[in-house]
Amino acid sequence: MRQSLISAHEATAPIPVYAVSEAGLPNLLSKLGANATGWAERQGYNAQAGRSLMVPLDGGGQAVLFGTLPENLPHPFALGTLANDLPPADYELQEPFPAIAQALLGFALSSYAFNRYRGGASGKQPRLVVPEHVDIERLQIVLDGVQLARDLINIPANDLGTAELAAQVEDLFNAHGGSGSIVVGDELLKGNLPLVHAVGRASDNTPRLADFTWGDDDAPKVTLVGKGVIFDTGGLNIKPGGSMSLMKKDMGGAANVLGLASMIMAAKLPVRLRVIVPCVENSIAGSAFRPGDILPSRKGLTVEIGNTDAEGRLILADALALADEESPELLIDMATLTGAARVALGPDLPPYFTNDEDLAEDISIFAEASEDPMWRLPLWQPYMKYLDSQVADISHINTSGTGFAGSITAALFLSRFVENAESWAHFDIYGWTPSSKPGKVAGGEAQGIRALFDLISDQFSA
């Protein structure tokens, strides 16, 4: 995606791109000349919203027509369709082009391709010129973070194990001058991270927890926690095959957290950033944790296991308790946590949970402004009774027998492990785009992190 946008001085004879409505088409064609008019007529082009056509110009060269509604693009990211329609060359949007910054972003997001395992894939692609009044550096920071998240999710578990995921955290922070540590295997027990150890101990991919920081120690503390389950069989409550096929993406929370961390550090935001990623594989072996087990947690709460396929909230519980101990100003966790969230809101609209009303409103505002949609669901306290256990301090799944409110009860469980943070928000993301659309490419997806980057930039500006 980095190669899809260029500055004006880098461009080579850019081809102009015109936004045009059906009503404005005749006037534009008359200005472009007889060759353009004749070609458009022969192609039956009438500037349908989202449709493009390359036309010849009388004096040589070409231009691109892109259909819009009378005043605006059919969708802010609609220009993303051009990323696949245009041949490799440099292109320049002609003013007044509507929502130009969002149009550029949509084009670049749609230019993503995951070709790591495909031989012969071409590196050439169409490139758009970024006007001088648009901050190309910030656009590239956002695009690099999105690409990192998408790439990590798309890599299969045979190449992205727990060691490799933890190394991604370390490499990212090292590249920006950060530091930290990785706790591995039985050292998790010595470090009082028993839930992380219990979930990951059955796998040959040794469980571990990466904990890294960056920035001035005196700056406001922003802590990100990401679920890093590199593959989820469901454990002894094994998933059916159809439900297991996409489980390489169960580290999508970690991938998105790393994408957001990349943006924060590249932009040099004035915060003390901390990222905690518990890295495990939920596997099946004689040492696997079992339904009915009662496990200790870092927080001191004992947890009754109702279903081993609800492992993500367990490793997050220890990670959140660790993060919460230093009372960060902002604590965010992201996880591909529940199917219930998908049933409620579908793949494109992740829910978020927080008791901070100001933070909730800010998330909503920045999500809408950045075309990075999210929807608030409540931390509905009456449902906390669904987590009652007769033998432990808490059950980690709904014990009511109803199966209701799965995403809410998961969030409520996590809330029991956060008490000191000034503000906390939990994001139950999908981390995947089932089919391509403008701004989204089928496969691993960054969800929420563009909005959160804008929010953190605004809230913690220098």
Side-chain angles (χ1 to χ4, degrees):
M1 291 193 295
R2 171 167 284 278
Q3 291 74 35
S4 60
L5 299 180
I6 56 172
S7 61
H9 72 271
E10 296 176 294
T12 304
I15 297 169
V17 178
Y18 296 91
V20 58
S21 65
E22 184 174 357
L25 181 61
N27 184 51
L28 175 61
L29 288 175
S30 69
K31 293 179 180 179
L32 296 180
N35 286 343
T37 301
W39 184 252
E41 289 176 351
R42 286 191 293 274
Q43 298 301 313
Y45 184 74
N46 61 2
Q48 304 97 318
R51 291 279 304 279
S52 61
L53 179 70
M54 186 174 289
V55 297
L57 302 178
D58 288 354
Q62 299 168 308
V64 176
L65 311 180
F66 186 78
T68 71
L69 297 175
E71 296 180 356
N72 292 295
L73 295 179
H75 183 280
F77 288 167
L79 200 66
T81 59
L82 282 179
N84 298 313
D85 292 345
L86 295 178
D90 292 344
Y91 299 86
E92 187 170 19
L93 305 180
Q94 301 302 297
E95 297 285 5
F97 204 98
I100 192 165
Q102 290 285 57
L104 289 164
L105 183 60
F107 180 91
L109 290 172
S110 299
S111 299
Y112 173 83
F114 183 69
N115 292 322
R116 177 169 174 168
Y117 299 92
R118 301 183 67 178
S122 173
K124 295 181 178 180
Q125 62 187 68
R127 306 187 300 180
L128 274 186
V129 174
V130 178
E132 291 185 0
H133 67 272
V134 176
D135 189 344
I136 187 172
E137 182 178 357
R138 188 173 178 88
L139 273 175
Q140 293 291 10
I141 286 172
V142 169
L143 292 170
D144 287 347
V146 170
Q147 177 159 329
L148 175 60
R150 287 175 170 179
D151 281 351
L152 288 174
I153 297 171
N154 284 325
I155 296 172
N158 60 303
D159 281 342
L160 189 73
T162 57
E164 291 78 10
L165 180 56
Q168 288 284 339
V169 185
E170 183 173 27
D171 290 347
L172 177 63
F173 274 77
N174 285 344
H176 291 279
S179 62
S181 63
I182 300 173
V183 184
V184 181
D186 289 344
E187 292 299 313
L188 292 165
L189 295 175
K190 296 179 182 179
N192 192 23
L193 296 161
L195 291 175
V196 179
H197 183 271
V199 171
R201 69 193 182 201
S203 174
D204 291 336
N205 278 294
T206 308
R208 59 201 71 210
L209 181 137
D211 185 356
F212 282 79
T213 60
W214 168 91
D216 190 336
D217 286 340
D218 294 329
K221 293 180 173 63
V222 174
T223 301
L224 312 177
V225 174
K227 174 186 169 183
V229 179
I230 60 107
F231 194 84
D232 181 18
T233 66
L236 295 178
N237 290 111
I238 189 169
K239 293 177 181 288
S243 299
M244 206 187 299
S245 60
L246 274 183
M247 283 301 100
K248 71 174 185 178
K249 77 171 186 66
D250 213 20
M251 38 62 65
N256 275 264
V257 157
L258 290 180
L260 177 55
S262 168
M263 297 177 193
I264 291 170
M265 291 188 286
K268 296 181 171 58
L269 297 186
V271 299
R272 199 295 298 254
L273 175 68
R274 185 182 188 186
V275 168
I276 300 175
V277 176
C279 309
V280 303
E281 179 177 22
N282 189 19
S283 195
I284 300 172
S287 58
F289 74 116
R290 296 163 288 251
D293 283 357
I294 300 174
L295 302 178
S297 70
R298 182 181 186 86
K299 189 73 173 176
L301 297 172
T302 55
V303 181
E304 181 184 9
I305 303 303
N307 188 313
T308 62
D309 195 20
E311 82 299 330
R313 67 198 69 181
L314 295 173
I315 64 172
L316 287 176
D318 270 357
L320 284 170
L322 173 63
D324 188 59
E325 288 166 4
E326 64 169 9
S327 305
E329 277 83 347
L330 179 61
L331 173 56
I332 289 171
D333 79 78
M334 306 189 83
T336 53
L337 203 61
T338 70
R342 310 290 78 79
V343 172
L345 298 176
D348 298 336
L349 188 60
Y352 66 95
F353 301 81
T354 181
N355 278 331
D356 185 327
E357 297 301 322
D358 290 337
L359 177 61
E361 183 178 3
D362 286 343
I363 292 171
S364 177
I365 291 170
F366 282 99
E368 182 176 0
S370 62
E371 293 294 331
D372 199 5
M374 292 178 279
W375 195 264
R376 186 187 186 188
L377 289 182
L379 285 164
W380 186 245
Q381 293 302 312
Y383 290 164
M384 190 70 82
K385 64 183 179 182
Y386 291 166
L387 299 175
D388 287 347
S389 168
Q390 295 182 354
V391 292
D393 293 325
I394 191 172
S395 170
H396 84 308
I397 65 169
N398 187 336
T399 60
S400 69
T402 64
F404 294 154
S407 185
I408 295 175
T409 52
L412 287 170
F413 174 80
L414 295 179
S415 73
R416 292 289 300 273
F417 297 86
V418 178
E419 61 179 345
N420 299 316
E422 186 175 317
S423 296
W424 166 64
H426 159 61
F427 296 81
D428 191 342
I429 66 172
Y430 190 46
W432 194 261
T433 295
S435 59
S436 294
K437 62 196 73 175
K440 295 177 178 289
V441 179
E445 189 55 88
Q447 292 184 305
I449 62 175
R450 290 188 291 105
L452 288 172
F453 176 53
D454 288 345
L455 184 155
I456 293 169
S457 298
D458 179 79
Q459 186 170 339
F460 299 100
S461 59

